[in-house]
Amino acid sequence: KPPMLLFSCAVSSAQAPASVPPNDWAHTVKLNNGVAMPLISLGTWQYSPAVAESTVRLGLSLGYNHIDAALDYKNQRSVGKALAEHDRASYFLTTKVPSRTSASSAFADTSKDLAADLEQLGLSYVDLMLVHFPPVGNTLHCAAMQEQWRALETFYRAKKARAIGVSNYCQSSLRCIARAANVTPAVNQIKYHIGMGPDPIGLRSYGDRLGIVTQAYSPLGDGTGELISGALVTGIGAKHNKSGAQVSLRWVVGHGVPVSTKSTSASHLTANLDLFGWEVSAQEKEALDAATSPKGHPSFMCDA
């Protein structure tokens, strides 16, 4: 294995704007720069603008305080309309910019995308800005990845993001940007669910060693109902008066991993918030940890 390259310490000069909420929200994780991120977020992927707006409005009314968006979702203006009805200090907003492959233009192009995120959302800052995924070819475009990260660092220092991070990055991707980084990514958002094991490809523990919080997307798997209605999760759920989906989500946060979930149903959204104040037993956790189905991989763009 190549030697691990450690990131330098996060820049301390990028302080949160005065209007952000105090770091005493219940059920948060503290990022490596001290920012508190709510453990449960409401995702907006694959929603039309109208559905995105109504879902964010519904989620905020039900008690969600973390919304997950992205430039590539093409619905951020509608997300912004729903957010505009709430005090900026009342929610945490994550969004993303797409990858770039040209080292000569990655900084400028990413800077434009960062500005577009703010403009579309109607915000002066976001709480967490992520690089959505590595480019096709991953570290074959390492110089472009480093330039893109430099653009996020500049955005962070300008106090337009309270924290910055990545998504779908593997160890090789993180090592690439570490060689030029001044700020350690605060978060790596990856696919993470029962069936993949608690530490898929060693990526979660790798992030832990660097101070990078692993965040889960697709916590109920993709294209399968196994983590909603399968025998393992529903059997455990019956013992706790919880649904199979709640067991699957509880497994994620039980490992200290924040989770991004999504639904347009008020009842499902409410149930997805009910992950605290109860636990699976040690024996049940062992069974969930050992599950090998459904299959999944942390990233669709890299392997290690």
Side-chain angles (χ1 to χ4, degrees):
K1 290 182 179 180
M4 182 185 298
L5 294 170
L6 298 179
F7 290 86
S8 62
C9 294
V11 172
S12 60
S13 60
Q15 299 299 319
S19 62
V20 301
N23 287 358
D24 61 356
W25 288 356
H27 312 309
T28 64
V29 61
K30 184 177 286 189
L31 304 182
N32 57 21
N33 64 351
V35 168
M37 182 177 81
L39 281 173
I40 304 175
S41 69
L42 176 61
T44 56
W45 180 48
Q46 293 183 318
Y47 289 160
S48 69
V51 172
E53 182 177 348
S54 62
T55 301
V56 170
R57 183 175 289 114
L58 176 62
L60 292 170
S61 75
L62 294 172
Y64 283 82
N65 62 349
H66 184 177
I67 304 300
D68 184 273
L71 189 63
D72 277 352
Y73 296 170
K74 303 186 186 305
N75 56 20
Q76 287 197 128
R77 293 189 189 280
S78 297
V79 170
K81 288 179 183 178
L83 293 176
E85 299 169 5
H86 294 261
D87 183 81
R88 182 61 185 91
S90 68
Y91 62 85
F92 187 106
L93 190 284
T94 295
T95 190
K96 314 173 192 76
V97 291
S99 61
R100 295 292 177 176
T101 57
S102 169
S104 63
S105 63
F107 181 89
D109 290 343
T110 299
S111 297
K112 292 177 184 176
D113 288 341
L114 293 166
D117 272 329
L118 292 181
E119 189 273 329
Q120 290 178 13
L121 291 163
L123 299 175
S124 61
Y125 73 94
V126 299
D127 297 285
L128 177 63
M129 179 64 73
L130 305 178
V131 177
H132 206 159
F133 42 82
V136 175
N138 192 27
T139 54
L140 292 176
H141 303 287
C142 184
M145 294 165 70
Q146 291 171 347
E147 282 296 284
Q148 178 159 57
W149 187 249
R150 185 168 70 88
L152 264 73
E153 290 185 345
T154 301
F155 191 76
Y156 176 60
R157 290 195 188 94
K159 301 182 181 180
K160 294 179 179 180
R162 298 176 63 216
I164 53 176
V166 294
S167 180
N168 294 295
Y169 267 44
C170 298
Q171 290 93 323
S172 58
S173 319
L174 292 167
R175 284 194 294 267
C176 161
I177 62 172
R179 291 195 287 270
N182 293 305
V183 180
T184 305
V187 170
N188 185 15
Q189 187 185 100
I190 61 171
K191 181 181 288 189
Y192 185 91
H193 57 68
I194 292 169
M196 297 173 63
D199 190 18
I201 68 169
L203 186 55
R204 179 179 153 228
S205 58
Y206 185 87
D208 287 347
R209 292 194 295 273
L210 297 176
I212 302 171
V213 169
T214 297
Q215 182 186 23
Y217 71 76
S218 296
L220 300 179
D222 288 322
T224 174
E226 188 173 352
L227 299 183
I228 299 172
S229 57
L232 176 61
V233 294
T234 57
I236 292 173
K239 298 176 183 178
H240 300 273
N241 196 29
K242 302 297 178 184
S243 69
Q246 286 173 306
V247 170
S248 297
L249 296 173
R250 174 65 208 179
W251 177 83
V252 175
V253 299
H255 279 290
V257 175
V259 60
S260 183
T261 184
K262 61 192 289 271
S263 177
T264 58
S265 160
S267 60
H268 290 163
L269 287 171
T270 299
N272 289 349
L273 287 174
D274 182 18
L275 305 182
F276 308 103
W278 64 281
E279 296 181 5
V280 299
S281 69
Q283 185 176 7
E284 291 165 344
K285 180 177 179 293
E286 185 176 345
L288 295 169
D289 286 353
T292 57
S293 179
K295 300 291 185 183
H297 193 276
S299 172
F300 59 88
M301 295 299 274
C302 52
D303 294 319

